[in-house]
Amino acid sequence: MPASRTSPLFRVSTEKNVLYTTRLVLQHKMHKVLVKLSPNYNYVAGGLYRYLQEQAIKLFPDVGNDHATITFWSSELPDFEGEEVEISEFALPGLEDVIRRLVVKVRPDVAHIYPRERVDNHQCPSATPSAQLNSGTTETASFPSGNEWFQIRVGVYDTSTKQRVEVRCTPDTKISKFMESVEAAAGIPYGDQVWTYNNHKVLPDATLSGLLFRDNDTLHLARATTRPLATLKFGKPVIYLYPTTTTRISTTLSIVPEWEFSAIYPVVPAKNTEAGQELKWVVDAEPSGTLTEVGTGLKVSYLYWEADTIAKGLMSPLLLSPGSPGKTTVLDDARFTPNQASLDSKDTVLVEVAKITPYLDDALKALGLHVEARTSFITYWLPSLLKNEYVALRFLPQSAYEKAARLTVEPVPDVVARIFMLFKGVGANDLGVWSEAGERAKDDVGHWTDVVGVDLEKVRDAGLFRVIEWGGMEVFN
């Protein structure tokens, strides 16, 4: 007999990894119906979704018979704190033992509500949102998107002019499309635009559907009072998770107010707190490092994030103590401040660009990064590195980096290694002021292990639950 787990509404069989429910509640408006499912039903991607759409059509006459407009929503997903979320056809299989009830909703056929305007060239028409904002009109304009079958009304409120206009676009429209349109029509630089929805900042890659945007809701546009610092480029921190057995892992990342998230993958919502922004990923992690995001089924090799520096919440710069000759020691209470990061000859090594890749590979190997991580690190930063004659760099102590980007992982890992590099280009004419850093580059790269605070034995032990992160920032000042 195959092993099984039972509940009042669900039964999960481990035979051939088949998951199936026995009963499920479908609800449309106030009408709830208990639906019985066949134990032999084969849930391929989309199969269960289509089956439930057929049941909804039979049970609720007012939903119509257009499968494209019938959607399913749930407020029972873990880690969404009761928030109702639409479930796609590809995310539904695999959620059977956490969902007891699905709410049936019908997308409005907006062709009967207001006419659609086809935009074939994917460019904003002359009546762009920003043009209307400047003129103070409130006419409705169409907006570019890749899917014209369904449009919603989107209010755009300019906090500077106190004007609100209405545009029409599809739910898969990204915020970046609004930003590009405003920059082209009103001349407001992309980087100076701050967009919010429900009092939360939204990222350029966010879609209206991903924000759970409702028809006729409003996006707020503000001009940044201080532009993101152009002197700092923060790039691609990635987080690897290596549990000893397949484990559901919650990873929470909290960043200081001097940073704002600019890119996140897998995409999860970032919320604002008094201490800065925060996000949380929940994944099923395998010992190989493959991660499956709970809720969507998306498989990835690591968790990815980037952030922009902003001029607020200024704190003291990183504190340094002289340390031993030829080495840099950072005080335990030192603080890394993203928008005040700087480098000089006292805390770096200076490497000729022709020798930078072997130096980095040796240093990253000494810090415990595996081959794929070292390769990804170097190739990501290589274009920026090669623009220079010499490169000054240093790796931050984990204790300092942790104060700027706090990482909380549950269950608690056996070892965490967070490798973060600061670097800047140096010209041949400036070698005189970097002589100390040039001499320090002759030291064994193994000294970075002590500076960062990496337990190499544990990082390399596949019998432990390991968390490894790498990232960096280019400094121009």
Side-chain angles (χ1 to χ4, degrees):
M1 295 289 292
S4 64
R5 181 170 66 238
T6 61
S7 70
L9 298 181
F10 296 84
R11 184 154 62 95
V12 182
S13 170
T14 59
E15 183 177 18
K16 296 182 180 179
N17 295 321
V18 174
L19 300 178
Y20 59 82
T21 58
T22 57
R23 289 173 290 174
L24 180 68
V25 173
L26 291 182
Q27 177 179 347
H28 179 55
K29 298 180 180 178
M30 301 302 293
H31 189 189
K32 300 178 183 178
V33 180
L34 183 63
V35 176
K36 183 176 181 180
L37 304 181
S38 168
N40 298 320
Y41 191 82
N42 182 21
Y43 293 165
V44 297
L48 174 58
Y49 197 90
R50 182 78 175 195
Y51 174 80
L52 292 176
Q53 284 181 323
E54 294 288 351
Q55 295 297 310
I57 291 172
K58 294 177 182 178
L59 296 169
F60 311 117
D62 58 333
V63 304
N65 57 7
D66 185 355
H67 292 80
T69 64
I70 300 175
T71 62
F72 298 104
W73 298 67
S74 176
S75 58
E76 301 171 356
L77 294 175
D79 304 306
F80 280 85
E81 301 177 349
E83 181 180 5
E84 192 173 58
V85 178
E86 181 180 358
I87 302 176
S88 72
E89 61 178 297
F90 300 105
L92 184 57
L95 295 177
E96 294 91 341
D97 60 345
V98 296
I99 297 177
R100 272 58 175 173
R101 176 176 61 93
L102 285 175
V103 176
V104 181
K105 295 186 179 182
V106 181
R107 299 187 195 277
D109 182 358
V110 294
H112 295 100
I113 300 175
Y114 44 81
R116 294 175 293 187
E117 295 181 17
R118 181 78 182 182
V119 183
D120 293 321
N121 60 2
H122 294 270
Q123 298 295 321
C124 288
S126 57
T128 58
S130 44
Q132 294 177 37
L133 287 171
N134 291 339
S135 65
T137 64
T138 56
E139 296 178 0
T140 299
S142 58
F143 201 84
S145 179
N147 184 354
E148 297 296 331
W149 71 272
F150 169 60
Q151 293 184 331
I152 58 176
R153 293 167 293 180
V154 179
V156 178
Y157 180 79
D158 187 334
T159 58
S160 298
T161 63
K162 310 299 182 184
Q163 298 290 333
R164 182 186 187 276
V165 300
E166 185 178 288
V167 299
R168 291 201 303 271
C169 55
T170 58
D172 61 355
T173 301
K174 291 184 177 182
I175 299 301
S176 59
K177 287 291 186 182
F178 289 85
M179 299 175 74
E180 291 167 2
S181 177
V182 169
E183 181 175 41
I188 304 172
Y190 192 96
D192 281 359
Q193 301 175 38
V194 179
W195 290 80
T196 57
Y197 176 58
N198 285 340
N199 296 319
H200 292 288
K201 180 181 177 182
V202 294
L203 301 178
D205 285 340
T207 62
L208 294 174
S209 59
L211 296 172
L212 302 181
F213 196 94
R214 295 170 298 182
D215 183 48
N216 210 28
D217 274 1
T218 300
L219 291 170
H220 285 75
L221 165 65
R223 276 77 162 174
T225 54
T226 55
R227 296 185 62 181
L229 300 186
T231 56
L232 300 177
K233 177 183 178 182
F234 179 54
K236 196 184 180 182
V238 299
I239 303 169
Y240 301 89
L241 305 175
Y242 297 103
T244 56
T245 60
T246 300
T247 306
R248 178 157 296 184
I249 299 174
S250 170
T251 304
T252 302
L253 180 66
S254 307
I255 58 176
V256 292
E258 292 81 9
W259 265 333
E260 284 187 347
F261 289 117
S262 57
I264 303 166
Y265 190 76
V267 179
V268 293
K271 64 180 181 180
N272 296 316
T273 70
E274 293 183 359
Q277 290 189 314
E278 180 178 289
L279 60 81
K280 180 166 69 173
W281 291 285
V282 180
V283 299
D284 289 328
E286 302 173 17
S288 64
T290 299
L291 312 177
T292 304
E293 187 189 17
V294 174
T296 65
L298 177 68
K299 291 186 179 294
V300 296
S301 298
Y302 48 71
L303 308 174
Y304 161 80
W305 66 283
E306 284 195 357
D308 290 331
T309 53
I310 59 175
K312 62 187 281 189
L314 298 178
M315 301 181 291
S316 300
L318 191 62
L319 302 177
L320 300 174
S321 64
S324 57
K327 295 185 180 180
T328 301
T329 303
V330 181
L331 300 177
D332 290 339
D333 61 350
R335 186 188 296 272
F336 164 58
T337 308
N339 57 10
Q340 287 185 312
S342 62
L343 296 174
D344 60 38
S345 188
K346 295 180 180 180
D347 58 14
T348 61
V349 297
L350 185 70
V351 183
E352 186 180 357
V353 72
K355 301 176 181 179
I356 191 65
T357 53
Y359 182 90
L360 282 178
D361 189 69
D362 289 342
L364 296 173
K365 186 184 300 183
L367 288 168
L369 293 193
H370 50 71
V371 174
E372 189 280 330
R374 299 199 304 270
T375 303
S376 294
F377 184 105
I378 292 173
T379 54
Y380 179 82
W381 287 113
L382 192 57
S384 298
L385 295 168
L386 293 179
K387 296 177 182 178
N388 307 292
E389 296 176 279
Y390 293 83
V391 175
L393 66 91
R394 67 183 169 102
F395 293 95
L396 286 183
Q398 290 192 80
S399 58
Y401 179 51
E402 172 69 16
K403 292 175 181 178
R406 181 165 52 87
L407 188 67
T408 304
V409 180
E410 297 178 356
V412 178
D414 297 308
V415 60
V416 177
R418 307 184 74 187
I419 315 302
F420 190 85
M421 180 183 74
L422 294 178
F423 74 95
K424 68 176 296 181
V426 175
N429 294 334
D430 298 322
L431 290 181
V433 297
W434 291 91
S435 58
E436 188 177 345
E439 288 298 315
R440 191 178 295 111
K442 300 175 184 178
D443 293 344
D444 188 332
V445 294
H447 85 276
W448 289 118
T449 306
D450 296 327
V451 172
V452 176
V454 174
D455 189 328
L456 278 181
E457 184 177 351
K458 288 186 175 181
V459 169
R460 293 169 176 169
D461 188 349
L464 299 177
F465 174 18
R466 299 164 294 152
V467 175
I468 300 173
E469 178 185 16
W470 66 257
M473 176 184 287
E474 183 174 5
V475 180
F476 295 91
N477 59 354

